[in-house]
C-alpha cells in the first residue's frame, strides 16, 4: 500500500461521515471538507521532511556532494543531476542532458554517454552531432583520461599528421595537430573494422570552442575514456566509449560532524532559501549534528524543499481554523450516533 493511502482513506471517511450527518448543512460541509484538504497535507509534509532526500536513482547511488532533491547534498552541485520517473539519471550541462552510466565517489568522477556521438553501429554513416560542454563555474571538469576521435576531417582546415610514439606519454611536448596514427584510430574499441572508407584522427581539445571548430570541419566525433581494470594495477586500463567528468568533493567540518555515526549519522544538505548548511536528520534538520541536544528542538523542522514552505503556512492556518470550527459545530449540534466515533475523529 502506498504511504499516502492511509491519509486518503482517512480523508474519504471524514468527508463521508460529515456529509451524512443531518445536523450539518451543505455550506458547513463544504467548509469542513476544505479545511481537511488544507490540514492533512500539512501534517503529512511535516512527518516526511527528513525523508525527502533520495539516496539512489535506479541502481546508481546518490551520495554527498550530489542530490537529486532540492536542499540535498552540496549547493555547489544543485540541479546538476536529474532523476526521471523511470529512474533514469542524467547530467545537466549547457549543451544538454546526458545519461549517467555510473558515479564513483572513491575516485571522484561521473561517466556519461552522449547519444549524438559516433558509435560502432554508425560505421561510415555519420549523423549530425553537437559538441559536449561543461559549465566552467561548477566543480566539474573534463578528465584528462578522455580521448577524442574525429572522423573525415578536412585536411585544408585541420592539421592532420602522424605523431611520434612518445607523444602519447608526453602530449605537452608535441604540437596540437590531430594524430592520424593514434592507437585508438588503429584499434577502435569494440569494433576495430567499423570504418572502411573514412579517416580518423585523435585530438584533445583544451576548450569547448576548439571542439566546436573541430566539428565544423569534421563529419563527427566520439569520446573514449580509459577505465582502470583493478585498484592494484592502476596502469592496467581498457578503452570504453563515454565521457569521464571529474568532480570535487567539498569537505567541511560541519558536514563531517553531521555524517559522523557517533553524532547521529545525518545527511549533509542546505537551506534552499539561504544556501546555508543543514544537517538532515530523521527527526528534522539542524545546523550542527543530529545528537546536538543543546539546540532548541522546535527549530529542527527547517525547510528542505522550497515548495514545503507555502503549504506549511497554509496548513498551519488550516489547523487553527479547523480546531475553532469543530468546537463551534460541536457546541451547536447534538452528538449523534457515529459522528464522533474513533473512525472519523480528526483529533
Amino acid at each position: 500500500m502506498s504511504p499516502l493511502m492511509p491519509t486518503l482513506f482517512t480523508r474519504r471517511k471524514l468527508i463521508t461521515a460529515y456529509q451524512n450527518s443531518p445536523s450539518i448543512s451543505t455550506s458547513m460541509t463544504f467548509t469542513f471538507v476544505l479545511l481537511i484538504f488544507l490540514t492533512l497535507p500539512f501534517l503529512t509534509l511535516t512527518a516526511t521532511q527528513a525523508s525527502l532526500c533520495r539516496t539512489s536513482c535506479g541502481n546508481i547511488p546518490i551520495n554527498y556532494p550530489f542530490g537529486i532533491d532540492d536542499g540535498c547534498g552540496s549547493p555547489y552541485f544543485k540541479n546538476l543531476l536529474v532523476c526521471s520517473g523511470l529512474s533514469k539519471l542524467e547530467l545537466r550541462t549547457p549543451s544538454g542532458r546526458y545519461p549517467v552510466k555510473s558515479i564513483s565517489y572513491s575516485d571522484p568522477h561521473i561517466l556519461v554517454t552522449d547519444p549524438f556521438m559516433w558509435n560502432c553501429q554508425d560505421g561510415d554513416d555519420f549523423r549530425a552531432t553537437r559538441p559536449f560542454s561543461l559549465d566552467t563555474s561548477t566543480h566539474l571538469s573534463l578528465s584528462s583520461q578522455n580521448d577524442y576521435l574525429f572522423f573525415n576531417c578536412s585536411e585544408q582546415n585541420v592539421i592532420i599528421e602522424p605523431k611520434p610514439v612518445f607523444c602519447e606519454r608526453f602530449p605537452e611536448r608535441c604540437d596540437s595537430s590531430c594524430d592520424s596514427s593514434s592507437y585508438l584510430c588503429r584499434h577502435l574499441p569494440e569494433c576495430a573494422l567499423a570504418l572502411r572508407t573514412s579517416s580518423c584522427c585523435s585530438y584533445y581539445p583544451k576548450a569547448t570552442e576548439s571542439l566546436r571548430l573541430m566539428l565544423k570541419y569534421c563529419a563527427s566525433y566520439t569520446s573514449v575514456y580509459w577505465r582502470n581494470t583493478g585498484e592494484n594495477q592502476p596502469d592496467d586500463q581498457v578503452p570504453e566509449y563515454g565521457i569521464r567528468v571529474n568532480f570535487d568533493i567539498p569537505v567541511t567540518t560541519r558536514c563531517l560532524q553531521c555524517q559522523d555515526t557517533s553524532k547521529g549519522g545525518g545527511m549533509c544538505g542546505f537551506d534552499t532559501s539561504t544556501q546555508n548548511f543543514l544537517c538532515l536528520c530523521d527527526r528534522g534538520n539542524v545546523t550542527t549534528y543530529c545528537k546536538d541536544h543543546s539546540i532548541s528542538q522546535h527549530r529542527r523542522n527547517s525547510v528542505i524543499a522550497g515548495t514545503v514552505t507555502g503549504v506549511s503556512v497554509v496548513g498551519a492556518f488550516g489547523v487553527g481554523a479547523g480546531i475553532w470550527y469543530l468546537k463551534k459545530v460541536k457546541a451547536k449540534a447534538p452528538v449523534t450516533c457515529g459522528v464522533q466515533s474513533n473512525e472519523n475523529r480528526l483529533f
Side-chain angles (χ1 to χ4, degrees):
M1 180 179 291
S2 171
L4 293 178
M5 287 302 294
T7 302
L8 294 174
F9 181 67
T10 304
R11 189 180 296 175
R12 292 193 188 102
K13 294 176 69 177
L14 283 167
I15 294 171
T16 303
Y18 278 87
Q19 284 179 337
N20 295 335
S21 173
S23 60
I24 301 178
S25 65
T26 302
S27 60
M28 295 171 67
T29 302
F30 174 78
T31 305
F32 182 76
V33 169
L34 179 61
L35 290 175
I36 291 175
F37 277 88
L38 288 174
T39 55
L40 286 181
F42 164 73
L43 298 175
T44 304
L45 285 170
T46 302
T48 60
Q49 280 184 7
S51 61
L52 283 178
C53 294
R54 286 171 287 176
T55 57
S56 65
C57 179
N59 60 351
I60 301 178
I62 306 298
N63 301 329
Y64 184 84
F66 295 112
I68 52 179
D69 300 295
D70 205 5
C72 305
S74 169
Y76 295 117
F77 295 87
K78 180 181 179 182
N79 297 328
L80 289 182
L81 292 181
V82 180
C83 184
S84 68
L86 300 176
S87 296
K88 178 182 178 181
L89 188 65
E90 293 179 311
L91 174 68
R92 297 175 59 180
T93 79
S95 56
R97 290 166 59 155
Y98 301 89
V100 176
K101 296 174 60 177
S102 63
I103 300 178
S104 173
Y105 296 93
S106 57
D107 178 20
H109 69 271
I110 307 173
L111 294 179
V112 302
T113 59
D114 185 354
F116 291 92
M117 285 185 176
W118 179 90
N119 58 56
C120 290
Q121 288 72 32
D122 291 337
D124 292 307
D125 298 325
F126 300 109
R127 299 170 290 116
T129 186
R130 63 187 181 188
F132 176 85
S133 65
L134 289 175
D135 187 349
T136 56
S137 65
T138 64
H139 287 237
L140 302 178
S141 61
L142 282 175
S143 171
S144 59
Q145 293 181 241
N146 295 322
D147 277 323
Y148 296 91
L149 304 181
F150 294 85
F151 308 106
N152 276 7
C153 298
S154 170
E155 296 187 9
Q156 295 180 346
N157 302 102
V158 178
I159 302 176
I160 302 175
E161 60 183 18
K163 291 184 178 181
V165 177
F166 75 86
C167 289
E168 294 183 3
R169 299 194 61 180
F170 307 100
E172 67 278 359
R173 299 182 184 178
C174 300
D175 56 29
S176 58
S177 62
C178 195
D179 183 12
S180 59
S181 64
S182 70
Y183 171 83
L184 290 176
C185 280
R186 290 180 285 111
H187 304 85
L188 286 171
E190 303 174 12
C191 51
L193 302 178
L195 296 179
R196 298 180 182 273
T197 60
S198 303
S199 62
C200 171
C201 64
S202 176
Y203 174 74
Y204 184 83
K206 298 185 181 298
T208 302
E209 186 59 31
S210 62
L211 179 57
R212 291 195 186 99
L213 288 175
M214 288 291 291
L215 285 179
K216 184 178 179 180
Y217 302 110
C218 300
S220 185
Y221 87 118
T222 191
S223 174
V224 177
Y225 71 93
W226 292 87
R227 179 177 63 85
N228 294 330
T229 58
E231 296 181 358
N232 298 329
Q233 297 176 329
D235 294 333
D236 190 6
Q237 299 176 325
V238 294
E240 292 185 3
Y241 293 105
I243 306 171
R244 173 174 166 140
V245 178
N246 293 340
F247 63 88
D248 301 324
I249 301 180
V251 179
T252 63
T253 303
R254 288 190 296 180
C255 183
L256 293 176
Q257 284 185 334
C258 173
Q259 294 175 328
D260 190 346
T261 54
S262 64
K263 295 181 180 295
M267 299 174 61
C268 300
F270 59 95
D271 189 305
T272 57
S273 59
T274 64
Q275 308 297 303
N276 292 332
F277 171 81
L278 282 179
C279 183
L280 314 181
C281 310
D282 291 337
R283 299 178 59 186
N285 310 322
V286 295
T287 56
T288 53
Y289 50 89
C290 298
K291 289 187 177 180
D292 188 354
H293 301 293
S294 63
I295 298 179
S296 176
Q297 297 298 311
H298 74 275
R299 293 180 61 88
R300 284 198 156 201
N301 285 328
S302 301
V303 175
I304 296 179
T307 54
V308 176
T309 308
V311 180
S312 299
V313 172
V314 175
F317 172 79
V319 169
I323 295 175
W324 171 84
Y325 180 75
L326 286 179
K327 288 183 178 180
K328 183 177 180 181
V329 170
K330 185 176 180 181
K332 292 186 177 181
V335 178
T336 58
C337 181
V339 175
Q340 294 293 334
S341 68
N342 289 330
E343 292 184 349
N344 58 33
R345 190 185 300 272
L346 182 59
F347 301 104

